[in-house]
């Protein structure tokens, strides 16, 4: 009985080490997320807008990936236009184009999900 208990304890210890060992690669690949580091949280900040007669949009500060933004706009002929969705902090920006639809109306902006 004592020997069976000793073997069971050793088997459980080996299995626990295997599980912990297999997770070590994941922990080292993503240390901030795995450790629960509050510095790794997404945040979204101030947005920077730009427009002309046919185009509207801009970009937003932040660090993604859960904070996102995209441009939206209404063209003068009633066509609704939407820009590509970006992570907060992606300075490539998101823009709508209404050149083929009579130009950009006064209804446009950046949609944010934060």
């Amino acid at each position: 009985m004592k020997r069976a208990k000793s073997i069971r304890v050793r088997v459980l210890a080996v299995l626990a080490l295997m599980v912990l060992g297999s997770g070590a690669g994941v922990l080292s690949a993503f240390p901030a997320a795995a450790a629960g580091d509050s510095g790794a949280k997404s945040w979204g900040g101030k947005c920077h807008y730009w427009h002309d007669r046919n185009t509207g949009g801009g970009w937003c500060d932040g660090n993604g990936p859960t904070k996102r933004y995209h441009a939206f706009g209404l063209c003068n002929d009633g066509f609704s236009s939407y820009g590509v969705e970006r992570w907060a902090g992606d300075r490539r920006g998101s823009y709508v184009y209404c050149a083929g639809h009579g130009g950009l109306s006064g209804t446009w902006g950046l949609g944010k999900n934060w």
Side-chain angles (χ1 to χ4, degrees), residues 4 17 20 24 35 45 47 53 57-58 68-69 73 81 85-86 93 100 103 106 111-112:
L17 287 173
L20 290 174
C47 293
R53 191 171 104 56
R68 297 176 176 263
Y69 68 93
S81 183
E85 185 177 72
R86 303 273 192 211
K112 302 180 289 187

Side-chain angles (χ1 to χ4, degrees), residues 15-97:
L15 289 173
L17 287 173
M18 289 172 61
V19 169
L20 290 174
S22 66
V26 174
L27 292 175
S28 65
F30 303 102
D37 182 0
S38 63
K41 290 183 180 176
S42 278
W43 63 273
K46 179 181 176 184
C47 293
H48 307 271
Y49 300 89
W50 180 88
H51 72 95
D52 66 12
R53 191 171 104 56
N54 295 311
T55 308
W59 59 274
C60 296
D61 294 328
N63 71 342
T66 61
K67 305 296 184 193
R68 297 176 176 263
Y69 68 93
H70 69 276
F72 64 89
L74 185 63
C75 302
N76 284 324
D77 68 355
F79 179 78
S80 294
S81 183
Y82 299 91
V84 65
E85 185 177 72
R86 303 273 192 211
W87 286 7
D90 185 341
R91 292 188 175 192
R92 290 179 294 172
S94 180
Y95 298 90
V96 295
Y97 304 99

